Amino acid sequence: MMKEIFLHSADVQLTKPLATSWLAPSNIAFIKYWGKKEVQLPVNASLSMTLQNALTTTSLQAVPADKRSVSFFFEGSERPDFLSKIETFFQRISNYIPWINNAAFTIKSSNSFPHSAGIASSASAMAALALALADADAQLTGQPLDDTFYRKASFLARLASGSAARSVYGGYAAWGSHAHLSSSSDEYAVAINEAVHPRFKQMHDDILLINKQPKAISSSAGHQLMQQHPFLQGRISQANKNFERLCYAMTQGDLDVFAEIVENEAFTLHALMMSSEKSFSLLHPNTLLAIHEIRAFRKQTGIPLCFTLDAGPNVHLIYPEMYYDKVKPFVTESLTRLCTGETILYDNIGKGPRKIEKEI
Ligand code: DP6
C-alpha cells in the first residue's frame, strides 16, 4: 500500500529550529469532488486545472518544544479563529510526521487575491501549508524534493482539504482512484500533463465575481449532505463516465466535448445542492444570466468558450488563450455588468507551487 511510503520512524525529531516558505496556487475543478467518505477520501475522481495568479504564500517556522503549539497569522494579523482547522489537520497528519507533536509552530500566510472576493482559498492555503510541512520534514530526513515528495505533500494536503491535494501540481491534476488512470489514487493527487493535447496547454480561467457575500452553506456541509443524497450512486457513475470522457477529449484536443462535460459538471454540482435533503442553492440570478450569454456567444461565434462554477455564484470562463482577443470584448460588453463592482479576475493555467527564499 502506497500509504507506507508516507510513514516514517518516530525517531526523526526536531532538534533545532527550521523554517521554510512556499507559494501554492488555487485550482478550478472540471470534474467536481463533491461527497467524501472515511477520512477525506473522495466518492469519485476529480480533475482540475491549477491557476497562475490566485496564490497563497505561507511561511512556517518550527522550534523544538515539549508539546505542540501553533500561532497563526493571516496577512499580518494573528488569527486564533483559524486554529481549530489547523489543529484538526495536525492531528490527522501526526502519524505521518510524528515530530510535529514536539514543536512550536509559527505560521504566516497571505493571499494574492482579496479575501472578500468569494473565490475558494482553502485549496491554495492548505496546499501551501502542506508543502511547507512536507519540506520541513524533508529537511529533517534528507529527502529530496522529487516526485515522492510531491506525492507526500499532496497526501498531507488532502487531509486538510480535498481540493488542496490537486494544487500541489502545475497544469492538470487528478485526485481519486479511477480505472482509466492507472497512477490515480484516493490518497493523493497526480499530475496528468503528459498526454494532454497542445490545444489545452494555454487555457484561461477568467472569474466573474457575481457576488462576494460569504457562502450560506460551507463546502464541508455540502459534502456531508452527499452521504445521504438520493442521487449519490447516480452521481458516482456519472462522474466516472465524465472523468473518462474528459480525459479522452483532453488527449484528442476536442474542445466541444470538453465544453459539454465541464458545463455538465458545473450544473450537476449545483443540482446536487438543490436536490439534497436539506436543499440549498448558492446561485445568484446573475449567474444564470451570465451562463445564458456565454452559451449564446458560443453558438453564434463557434468559439469554444465554456463556463464552470465552484461552490458559489461566481462564473469561471474557460477557453484557450488563442481566443482571448475575441472573448475579451464580449466579456466587456455583455458580462462585466453582471459582476459586483464590475470585477473580473483574469487568470490562466499555472505552473504549480514553488519554494521561495523570502519569509513573509
Ligand atoms: C466544489 O476541498 O473545499 O470546490 O475537503 O471539505 O475541504 P474539503 O472540501 P473542499 O471541496 C471543494 C469542492 C468543490 C469542487 C472541487 O474543487 O473539486
Side-chain angles (χ1 to χ4, degrees):
M1 210 16 226
M2 211 62 194
K3 214 177 205 165
E4 281 160 20
I5 65 164
F6 302 131
L7 288 166
H8 64 63
S9 141
D11 309 341
V12 179
Q13 285 299 333
L14 185 69
T15 52
K16 57 180 178 33
L18 54 80
T20 181
S21 295
W22 280 77
L23 181 157
S26 189
N27 69 74
I28 180 69
F30 295 150
I31 303 293
K32 306 294 181 184
Y33 148 55
W34 199 242
K36 53 180 154 180
K37 57 194 179 189
E38 296 160 43
V39 187
Q40 292 285 109
L41 298 176
V43 296
N44 63 269
S46 58
L47 188 156
S48 62
M49 181 174 90
T50 296
L51 301 182
Q52 184 178 34
N53 302 330
L55 307 165
T56 299
T57 307
T58 293
S59 293
L60 178 138
Q61 286 179 324
V63 177
D66 291 340
K67 63 182 182 59
R68 184 168 74 234
S69 67
V70 181
S71 310
F72 181 76
F73 296 80
F74 183 66
E75 291 177 354
S77 308
E78 187 153 17
R79 293 291 297 269
D81 49 319
F82 281 88
L83 288 179
S84 74
K85 194 160 188 198
I86 296 174
E87 185 48 32
T88 305
F89 172 47
F90 275 49
Q91 275 168 19
R92 285 180 185 159
I93 65 170
S94 62
N95 273 346
Y96 305 102
I97 313 187
W99 61 261
I100 61 168
N101 293 329
N102 299 99
F105 288 96
T106 304
I107 302 166
K108 295 178 185 164
S109 207
S110 73
N111 287 344
S112 65
F113 46 91
H115 48 262
S116 60
I119 64 168
S121 59
S122 81
S124 55
M126 292 310 181
L129 179 57
L131 282 154
L133 278 164
D135 181 35
D137 190 52
Q139 289 182 33
L140 286 177
T141 59
Q143 189 196 355
L145 303 189
D146 57 6
D147 288 355
T148 306
F149 165 81
Y150 282 96
R151 258 203 314 275
K152 178 161 183 172
S154 177
F155 173 87
L156 298 174
R158 180 206 107 221
L159 290 167
S161 178
S163 54
R166 300 182 310 239
S167 271
V168 161
Y169 305 103
Y172 298 100
W175 168 48
S177 179
H178 193 287
H180 179 75
L181 187 66
S182 58
S183 59
S184 64
S185 168
D186 280 351
E187 309 263 355
Y188 50 82
V190 292
I192 50 160
N193 295 306
E194 270 162 34
V196 170
H197 191 278
R199 253 177 228 138
F200 288 98
K201 297 280 181 195
Q202 299 297 328
M203 296 291 278
H204 262 259
D205 174 11
D206 299 339
I207 308 164
L208 308 179
L209 293 187
I210 301 285
N211 194 332
K212 297 189 203 171
Q213 295 298 315
K215 281 187 230 172
I217 298 239
S218 69
S219 288
S220 304
H223 284 294
Q224 233 166 41
L225 285 166
M226 281 307 289
Q227 285 172 12
Q228 305 301 328
H229 201 290
F231 303 153
L232 177 62
Q233 289 315 318
R235 164 59 189 157
I236 294 171
S237 62
Q238 177 204 36
N240 285 337
K241 265 189 219 131
N242 278 349
F243 184 95
E244 186 172 346
R245 282 189 74 210
L246 190 74
C247 287
Y248 188 68
M250 288 177 71
T251 56
Q252 299 300 301
D254 191 333
L255 287 156
D256 295 334
V257 173
F258 174 83
E260 181 196 317
I261 297 168
V262 168
E263 293 189 352
N264 177 274
E265 281 286 313
F267 272 149
T268 295
L269 172 68
H270 287 264
L272 288 168
M273 294 176 193
M274 291 182 208
S275 54
S276 57
E277 197 175 315
K278 185 169 176 258
S279 68
F280 65 105
S281 171
L282 301 178
L283 298 176
H284 183 278
N286 285 2
T287 309
L288 296 175
L289 290 174
I291 288 172
H292 182 81
E293 296 284 354
I294 293 160
R295 287 191 155 179
F297 173 81
R298 185 166 72 233
K299 202 165 173 200
Q300 272 161 24
T301 62
I303 291 171
L305 165 70
C306 68
F307 72 86
T308 189
L309 305 163
D310 226 330
N314 300 327
V315 178
H316 293 244
L317 304 176
I318 312 293
Y319 60 96
E321 168 68 28
M322 62 180 286
Y323 296 107
Y324 177 74
D325 289 346
K326 297 209 166 90
V327 171
K328 183 80 204 289
F330 158 66
V331 172
T332 310
E333 271 160 43
S334 307
L335 300 179
T336 307
R337 67 188 164 83
L338 301 172
C339 302
T340 173
E342 307 209 334
T343 316
I344 297 171
L345 302 174
Y346 289 89
D347 215 327
N348 303 286
I349 188 166
K351 290 195 170 63
R354 64 191 158 85
K355 185 170 172 164
I356 51 173
E357 294 312 319
K358 213 171 128 242
E359 190 199 313
I360 60 163

